[in-house]
Amino acid sequence: METVQTFLFALLFLSGWMAVGGVDHLKYKDPTQPLNVRVNDLLSRMTFAEKIGQMAQIARENATSEVMAERFIGSVLSGGGSVPAPKASVKVWVDMVNEMQKGALSTRLGIPMIYGIDAVHGHNNVYNATIFPHNVGLGATRDPALVKRIGAATALEVRATGIPYVFAPCVAVCRDPRWGRCYESYSEDPHVVQMMTEIISGLQGEILSDSRKGAPFVGGKTKVAACAKHFVGDGGTHLGINENNTITNFHGLLSTHMPPYYNAIIKGVSTVMVSYSSWNGVKMHENHYLLTDFLKNKLRFRGFLISDWEGIDRITTPPHANYTFSIQAGILAGIDMIMIPYDYPEFFEDLTTLVNKNIIPMSRIDDAVRRILRVKFTVGLFENPYADLSLEAELGKKEHRELAREAVRKSLVLLKNGKSYDKPLLPLPKKAKKILVAGSHADNLGYQCGGWTIEWQGLGGNNLTIGTTLLDAIRSSVDYNTEIVYSENPDSSYLISNEISYAIVVVGEVPYAESFGDNMNLTIPSPGPQIIHNVCEKIKCVVILISGRPLVIEPYVEMIDALVAAWLPGTEAKGIADVLFGDYGFSGVLPRTWFRSVDQLPMNVGDPHYDPLYPFGFGLKTEPTNISPIFYSQNYLNDFFPGHMHYETNTSSSTSYGNSGIEKIVSQRVAPLTKEIEEMVI
């Protein structure tokens, strides 16, 4: 009898323990529970140290398994060029991420960390990844469906390396090409940038129709959490200086710089990154009205806000002059996750002091952590915290490179084709006696790809990753009997003494990123002008300009037979050859106004004294050579300003405009509001 009583008592105790703690303890780990139940359950169990650990994102270099466990680190990042080893394989990446995750999961509550990386034109830190054209080129395609496919391909390549979170897309509306990040912007026109937010649906998956507006969404293990950046106005800084002040009234901010965020939030973007820049003198990293009152409350964004790299440090001048104040200002403004790559112990110490003194209320900490956990649950990290090698074959695979090649074809903008209307140079014949290929960018994969490729600032040369240079693309495209002669900077005597059918001259900018790309003169770097003069004054030539933005080209236009803006095409230069030789036609249109002189800047479509060399939306078209060649002018502006614009195709690119009514039309179309957006803003 005593044995039976003992058994019944033990059974009663066990069932009571399960009711009070056992089953309840598993709620946040139970995928059948509603999302908010899981989030609230986990948040209720967390200590203060565990909460502030979730708010920290540290650099890969510091993220040992021990640090992850000791500090309860919530996130890790690879900055530009931060890799586990040169030319690291997929396995090396996966093993590194899993080792950090092992440390995070070893903690009391086992909250997984989320690893983030810049994947701004493909998985650009990783050797052998497909490098797509930078955003300025994608803006020239006017093809949201293409951009969505690029997002999906990028997500697969990123997930292949074990990473579930990307700092992309950049939805800045660049209003001044002097800005060093202008190539990260799809267009000067917010309407085009809004179109291109379709990349978010590629990266994250198509949001479900019954999803709550503003809630983050990620559609499974082949998708990644995206990050719309940089909120807000980063493309409108004074003189185009990076991290500078955007001077505009609230209407200007809403109509020009804010529209892409409406679309991003509707598509379920998981995170938003705050801009280094200021709005009318107030740093965005401390702007409570825009970060909390507008973005979180009015637009109902429910993902998390992340700072830029050491972004809160720059609230003060000089940066980090009063770090305690920076933490206070940034977190009270509404930033949820702080990117603190190196000085994380100081962050923890100062934030703890601020909360203990009730300067930062615990409610603000709980809001931040709740948002971070919401994204982690949405990504599926609690069910699948570890990566494997099942997607290894996705990195740089043939289908993705073909997609990049298609994007290159569609991004090319033909600015001039022949010195007279009836004698076009393009498409070029594949059968020719001798073709000269010249220029600093003809055989340089690094120059093709630009910044944010393997290294933060990019690199020159052909050894940084796997891809095809334009020279190699030309060689593989022409007739077998056609002789290709390559000379980076040929001298005049060579040009006179050789029977050259025509020349392809490839020049442009060298790679740069962020402030290193700020440029007040925007001239073609040497020896580009000299090469154009030497070659194009003596033989028929097509000039291919590799650049992240329009450059000063008016002095050379008359001597050039054909001129192509190729932007920063990435690793698949066969896309350029496809169009040069007529396998496909030119179809791209300018994503930004091509100025005559930097003295005109800033100058954007719809401005009162709009006098460009080539207007926004301009692009000549050709047809493939298997159809009768057609040469005509395609002007995107006509779609929006019918009856207000006339373009004459000739060597001087003369343009006349009637400005009557343009401002009214621009104001009507610059930020078209869908019914969903109206409900968000009004």
Side-chain angles (χ1 to χ4, degrees), residues 66-85:
E66 293 74 22
V67 168
M68 300 298 294
E70 179 185 350
R71 294 286 190 170
F72 310 106
I73 298 296
S75 185
V76 179
L77 84 152
S78 275
S82 178
V83 298

Side-chain angles (χ1 to χ4, degrees), residues 118-124 130-132 147-161 163 166 168 199 202-203 222-224 394-395 400 403:
D118 288 291
V120 299
H121 62 143
H123 199 7
N124 50 260
T130 307
I131 305 299
F132 294 93
V147 169
K148 182 178 179 179
R149 288 189 286 142
I150 289 171
T154 300
L156 284 168
E157 298 206 11
V158 172
R159 277 288 199 171
T161 56
I163 296 171
V166 298
I199 194 172
L203 291 165
T222 61
K223 299 297 182 181
V224 294
E394 297 293 334
L395 188 74
H400 295 169
L403 176 60

Side-chain angles (χ1 to χ4, degrees), residues 6 93 134 139-140 180 234 245 279 408 435 504 524 561 619 627 669:
T6 301
W93 277 97
H134 266 297
D234 52 335
N245 189 26
W279 176 47
V408 173
I435 301 172
I504 300 171
I524 299 174
D561 292 275
I627 304 174
R669 68 171 289 274

Side-chain angles (χ1 to χ4, degrees), residues 552-578:
V552 176
I553 58 171
E554 190 171 35
Y556 320 110
V557 169
E558 189 170 351
M559 72 180 71
I560 293 170
D561 292 275
L563 177 61
V564 178
W567 315 112
L568 298 170
T571 52
E572 308 311 308
K574 286 183 179 179
I576 302 177
D578 287 341

Side-chain angles (χ1 to χ4, degrees), residues 424 426-427 582 584-585 621-632:
L426 302 177
Y584 294 82
K621 283 192 174 182
T622 62
E623 294 292 338
T625 51
N626 59 351
I627 304 174
S628 299
I630 299 174
F631 174 70
Y632 60 95

Side-chain angles (χ1 to χ4, degrees), residues 55-57 306-307 312 323 331 335-340 347:
M55 296 174 67
Q57 183 180 73
I306 185 169
S307 79
I312 64 168
Y323 194 52
I331 291 177
I335 301 174
D336 304 307
M337 183 177 284
I338 311 297
M339 197 182 289
I340 36 168
F347 169 78

